Amino acid sequence: MSPGMSLYSVNAIIILSSDDGSRIFSKYYTPPHQSGPQPAAGTAASQNPYPDKTAQTRFEKGLLAKTAKQNGDILLYDNRIVLYKMESDVAIYVVGSTEENEVLLYNVLLALRDSLHLLFKQSVDKRTIVENYDLVALLIDELVDDGIILETDPTIVVQRCSKAPTQDVVNLRGIDPFSEQGVNNLAQLGKAKITDWLRTGL
């Protein structure tokens, strides 16, 4: 592991409309602490390089302008490594620092793209992402949390994002949740869910 590498591998995950460059989804991550000597408070090095929406929008517009007519998957832009894929009318980006492992970041990008395909069972486009924004946000949180890569297997990610089985909901209907039977049912459901999570390796 090179000295510059960190557990906090991902700086941002961004999904833009390739038609007009508008933001569909974006999440920027700031490590909770810096490794090595601490920069003085208030200096640029101690802060997220894209601290507000103006800086983020400028970065995103420049990114789309650079990648719109390219065929590659990787780009060095604004002193960041950017991995990207064009899907239908959207552009998906995973951004990391220049010290990060490009293969690791590329695996995150592929996991995100493949998870979206598995989740929606159709082409990934702007309309589908907007209509299922909550699932997309959940899916990205299952992939990366606070810049730390959690999972890159699309099947596992999609299993964790899938809607709860209706049978569990049906079993709880018509029962007062504060009665003894209701509490017992909730405890059994919780125990079953924890067992499932442990079995899938959460």
Side-chain angles (χ1 to χ4, degrees):
M1 187 169 175
S2 76
M5 287 181 70
S6 155
L7 188 62
Y8 301 93
S9 304
V10 179
N11 293 159
I13 292 178
I14 305 163
I15 303 174
L16 303 176
S17 166
S18 55
D19 295 334
D20 57 8
S22 62
R23 176 191 286 186
I24 301 170
F25 178 95
S26 74
K27 195 155 194 181
Y28 289 80
Y29 304 100
T30 306
H33 54 80
Q34 301 278 342
S35 57
Q38 297 294 317
T43 61
S46 69
Q47 300 170 355
N48 183 336
Y50 314 108
D52 54 33
K53 191 170 182 204
T54 307
Q56 291 171 6
T57 303
R58 192 181 314 117
F59 175 71
E60 290 164 13
K61 294 280 185 193
L63 201 53
L64 188 64
K66 276 275 190 188
T67 56
K69 295 183 176 105
Q70 304 238 0
N71 294 330
D73 296 324
I74 186 167
L75 177 76
L76 187 63
Y77 177 72
D78 200 25
N79 204 28
R80 296 271 177 275
I81 292 176
V82 180
L83 287 299
Y84 63 96
K85 287 277 183 197
M86 299 295 178
E87 289 287 324
S88 183
D89 58 352
V90 298
I92 304 170
Y93 300 94
V94 173
V95 182
S97 74
T98 51
E99 290 86 16
E100 284 307 327
N101 184 326
E102 298 91 345
V103 176
L104 183 65
L105 294 174
Y106 190 64
N107 282 339
V108 174
L109 176 67
L110 292 180
L112 174 55
R113 183 200 63 183
D114 295 345
S115 298
L116 289 169
H117 279 287
L118 281 172
L119 190 64
F120 300 137
K121 297 178 177 61
Q122 58 194 13
S123 68
V124 177
D125 55 29
K126 181 178 179 178
R127 181 176 177 178
T128 307
I129 291 171
V130 170
E131 287 175 355
N132 298 279
Y133 191 86
D134 55 339
L135 284 176
V136 173
L138 181 60
L139 185 147
I140 288 171
D141 284 345
E142 290 292 343
L143 278 169
V144 177
D145 181 40
D146 208 19
I148 301 171
I149 300 166
L150 301 177
E151 184 61 69
T152 57
D153 184 335
T155 311
I156 293 174
V157 171
V158 170
Q159 280 176 351
R160 291 178 182 169
C161 296
S162 298
K163 293 176 182 171
T166 51
Q167 62 189 24
D168 293 333
V169 179
V170 170
N171 291 340
L172 296 175
R173 280 196 190 129
I175 297 171
D176 178 10
F178 298 109
S179 69
E180 188 175 340
Q181 185 184 1
V183 171
N184 285 339
N185 282 358
L186 287 171
Q188 290 298 321
L189 179 60
K191 196 186 295 182
K193 290 296 176 196
I194 289 170
T195 305
D196 287 345
W197 287 338
L198 291 173
R199 207 175 289 137
T200 57
L202 182 66

Coordinates of all heavy atoms in Angstrom, one line a residue, residues 13 15 24-27 92 112 115-116 119-120 124-143 157 161:
I13 N -19.2 10.4 -5.9 CA -20.0 9.6 -6.9 C -21.0 10.5 -7.5 O -21.8 11.2 -6.8 CB -20.7 8.3 -6.3 CG1 -19.6 7.3 -5.8 CG2 -21.6 7.7 -7.3 CD1 -20.1 6.1 -5.2
I15 N -23.8 11.3 -10.9 CA -24.6 10.9 -12.1 C -25.1 12.2 -12.7 O -25.9 12.9 -12.0 CB -25.7 9.9 -11.7 CG1 -25.1 8.7 -11.0 CG2 -26.4 9.5 -13.0 CD1 -26.2 7.7 -10.5
I24 N -28.2 14.7 -11.7 CA -29.2 13.8 -11.3 C -29.0 13.3 -9.9 O -29.9 13.2 -9.1 CB -29.3 12.6 -12.3 CG1 -29.5 13.1 -13.7 CG2 -30.4 11.6 -11.9 CD1 -29.3 12.0 -14.8
F25 N -27.7 12.9 -9.6 CA -27.4 12.5 -8.3 C -25.9 12.8 -8.0 O -25.1 12.7 -9.0 CB -27.5 11.0 -8.1 CG -27.1 10.4 -6.8 CD1 -28.0 10.2 -5.8 CD2 -25.8 10.1 -6.5 CE1 -27.7 9.8 -4.5 CE2 -25.4 9.6 -5.3 CZ -26.3 9.5 -4.3
S26 N -25.6 13.3 -6.8 CA -24.2 13.4 -6.5 C -24.0 13.3 -5.0 O -24.8 13.7 -4.2 CB -23.6 14.8 -7.0 OG -24.1 15.8 -6.1
K27 N -22.9 12.7 -4.7 CA -22.5 12.6 -3.2 C -21.0 12.8 -3.1 O -20.2 12.1 -3.8 CB -22.9 11.2 -2.7 CG -22.9 11.1 -1.2 CD -23.8 10.0 -0.8 CE -24.1 10.1 0.7 NZ -24.9 9.1 1.2
I92 N -22.0 8.4 -15.6 CA -21.8 7.9 -14.2 C -20.3 8.1 -13.9 O -19.5 7.6 -14.7 CB -22.2 6.4 -14.0 CG1 -23.7 6.2 -14.4 CG2 -21.9 6.0 -12.6 CD1 -24.1 4.8 -14.5
L112 N -21.4 -0.2 -9.5 CA -22.5 0.8 -9.6 C -23.3 0.6 -10.8 O -24.5 0.4 -10.8 CB -22.0 2.2 -9.5 CG -23.0 3.3 -9.6 CD1 -24.1 3.2 -8.6 CD2 -22.3 4.7 -9.4
S115 N -25.0 -2.9 -10.8 CA -26.1 -2.9 -9.8 C -27.3 -2.2 -10.3 O -28.5 -2.6 -10.1 CB -25.6 -2.3 -8.5 OG -24.5 -3.0 -7.9
L116 N -27.1 -1.0 -10.9 CA -28.3 -0.3 -11.5 C -29.0 -1.1 -12.6 O -30.2 -1.2 -12.6 CB -27.8 1.0 -12.1 CG -27.3 2.1 -11.1 CD1 -26.7 3.2 -11.8 CD2 -28.5 2.6 -10.3
L119 N -30.9 -3.9 -10.7 CA -32.0 -3.3 -9.9 C -33.2 -3.0 -10.8 O -34.3 -3.3 -10.5 CB -31.5 -2.1 -9.1 CG -32.4 -1.5 -8.1 CD1 -32.7 -2.5 -7.0 CD2 -31.9 -0.2 -7.5
F120 N -32.9 -2.3 -11.9 CA -34.0 -1.8 -12.8 C -34.4 -2.8 -13.9 O -35.4 -2.6 -14.5 CB -33.6 -0.5 -13.4 CG -33.4 0.6 -12.4 CD1 -32.3 1.4 -12.5 CD2 -34.2 0.7 -11.2 CE1 -32.0 2.4 -11.5 CE2 -33.9 1.7 -10.3 CZ -32.9 2.5 -10.4
V124 N -30.4 1.8 -18.0 CA -30.3 2.8 -17.0 C -30.4 4.2 -17.7 O -29.5 4.5 -18.5 CB -28.9 2.7 -16.3 CG1 -28.8 3.8 -15.2 CG2 -28.8 1.3 -15.6
D125 N -31.4 4.9 -17.4 CA -31.6 6.2 -18.0 C -32.0 7.2 -17.0 O -32.3 6.9 -15.8 CB -32.5 6.2 -19.2 CG -33.9 5.6 -18.8 OD1 -34.3 5.8 -17.7 OD2 -34.6 5.1 -19.7
K126 N -32.1 8.5 -17.4 CA -32.4 9.6 -16.5 C -33.7 9.4 -15.8 O -33.9 9.6 -14.6 CB -32.3 10.9 -17.3 CG -32.6 12.1 -16.4 CD -32.5 13.4 -17.2 CE -32.8 14.7 -16.4 NZ -32.7 15.9 -17.2
R127 N -34.7 9.1 -16.6 CA -36.1 8.9 -16.1 C -36.2 7.9 -15.0 O -36.8 8.0 -14.0 CB -37.0 8.6 -17.3 CG -38.5 8.5 -16.8 CD -39.4 8.3 -18.0 NE -40.8 8.1 -17.5 CZ -41.8 8.0 -18.2 NH1 -41.7 8.0 -19.6 NH2 -43.0 7.8 -17.7
T128 N -35.6 6.7 -15.3 CA -35.6 5.6 -14.4 C -34.9 6.0 -13.0 O -35.4 5.7 -12.0 CB -34.9 4.3 -15.0 OG1 -35.5 4.1 -16.2 CG2 -35.1 3.1 -14.1
I129 N -33.8 6.6 -13.1 CA -33.0 7.0 -11.9 C -33.8 8.1 -11.1 O -33.9 7.9 -9.9 CB -31.6 7.6 -12.3 CG1 -30.8 6.5 -12.9 CG2 -31.0 8.3 -11.1 CD1 -29.4 6.9 -13.4
V130 N -34.4 9.0 -11.8 CA -35.2 10.0 -11.1 C -36.4 9.4 -10.4 O -36.8 9.7 -9.3 CB -35.6 11.2 -12.0 CG1 -36.6 12.1 -11.4 CG2 -34.4 12.0 -12.5
E131 N -37.1 8.5 -11.1 CA -38.3 7.9 -10.6 C -38.0 6.9 -9.4 O -38.8 6.6 -8.6 CB -39.1 7.1 -11.7 CG -39.8 8.0 -12.6 CD -40.4 7.3 -13.8 OE1 -40.3 6.0 -13.9 OE2 -41.1 7.9 -14.6
N132 N -36.8 6.4 -9.4 CA -36.3 5.5 -8.3 C -35.2 6.1 -7.5 O -34.3 5.3 -7.1 CB -35.9 4.1 -8.9 CG -37.1 3.5 -9.6 OD1 -37.9 2.9 -9.0 ND2 -37.1 3.6 -11.0
Y133 N -35.2 7.4 -7.3 CA -34.1 8.1 -6.6 C -33.8 7.5 -5.3 O -32.6 7.3 -4.9 CB -34.5 9.5 -6.5 CG -33.3 10.4 -6.1 CD1 -32.5 10.9 -7.0 CD2 -33.0 10.7 -4.7 CE1 -31.4 11.7 -6.7 CE2 -32.0 11.5 -4.4 CZ -31.1 12.0 -5.3 OH -30.1 12.8 -5.0
D134 N -34.8 7.1 -4.5 CA -34.5 6.5 -3.1 C -33.7 5.2 -3.2 O -32.8 5.0 -2.5 CB -35.8 6.3 -2.4 CG -36.8 5.4 -3.2 OD1 -36.7 5.3 -4.4 OD2 -37.7 4.8 -2.5
L135 N -34.1 4.4 -4.2 CA -33.3 3.1 -4.4 C -31.9 3.4 -4.9 O -31.0 2.7 -4.4 CB -34.1 2.2 -5.4 CG -35.3 1.5 -4.9 CD1 -36.0 0.7 -6.0 CD2 -35.0 0.6 -3.7
V136 N -31.7 4.3 -5.7 CA -30.4 4.7 -6.2 C -29.5 5.2 -5.1 O -28.4 4.8 -4.9 CB -30.4 5.7 -7.3 CG1 -29.1 6.2 -7.7 CG2 -31.2 5.2 -8.6
A137 N -30.1 6.0 -4.2 CA -29.4 6.6 -3.1 C -29.0 5.4 -2.1 O -27.8 5.4 -1.6 CB -30.2 7.6 -2.3
L138 N -29.9 4.5 -1.9 CA -29.6 3.4 -1.0 C -28.6 2.5 -1.6 O -27.6 2.0 -0.9 CB -30.9 2.6 -0.8 CG -30.9 1.4 0.1 CD1 -30.4 1.8 1.5 CD2 -32.2 0.7 0.2
L139 N -28.7 2.2 -2.9 CA -27.7 1.4 -3.6 C -26.3 2.0 -3.4 O -25.3 1.3 -3.1 CB -28.1 1.3 -5.0 CG -27.3 0.4 -5.9 CD1 -28.2 -0.3 -7.0 CD2 -26.2 1.1 -6.7
I140 N -26.1 3.3 -3.6 CA -24.8 3.9 -3.5 C -24.3 3.9 -2.1 O -23.1 3.7 -1.9 CB -24.9 5.4 -4.1 CG1 -25.0 5.3 -5.6 CG2 -23.7 6.2 -3.7 CD1 -25.3 6.5 -6.4
D141 N -25.2 4.0 -1.1 CA -24.8 3.9 0.3 C -24.3 2.5 0.6 O -23.5 2.3 1.5 CB -25.9 4.3 1.2 CG -26.1 5.8 1.3 OD1 -25.2 6.6 0.8 OD2 -27.2 6.3 1.7
E142 N -24.9 1.5 -0.1 CA -24.4 0.1 0.1 C -23.0 -0.1 -0.5 O -22.3 -1.0 -0.1 CB -25.4 -0.9 -0.4 CG -26.7 -1.0 0.4 CD -26.6 -1.5 1.8 OE1 -25.5 -2.2 2.0 OE2 -27.5 -1.3 2.6
L143 N -22.7 0.6 -1.6 CA -21.4 0.5 -2.2 C -20.3 1.2 -1.5 O -19.3 0.7 -1.2 CB -21.5 1.1 -3.6 CG -22.1 0.2 -4.8 CD1 -22.3 1.1 -6.0 CD2 -21.1 -0.9 -5.1
V157 N -25.1 -6.2 -3.4 CA -25.6 -4.8 -3.3 C -27.1 -4.8 -3.6 O -27.9 -4.2 -2.8 CB -24.8 -3.9 -4.2 CG1 -25.5 -2.5 -4.2 CG2 -23.4 -3.7 -3.7
C161 N -30.6 -3.9 -1.3 CA -31.5 -2.8 -1.7 C -32.9 -3.2 -2.0 O -33.8 -2.3 -2.2 CB -30.9 -2.0 -2.9 SG -29.3 -1.3 -2.5

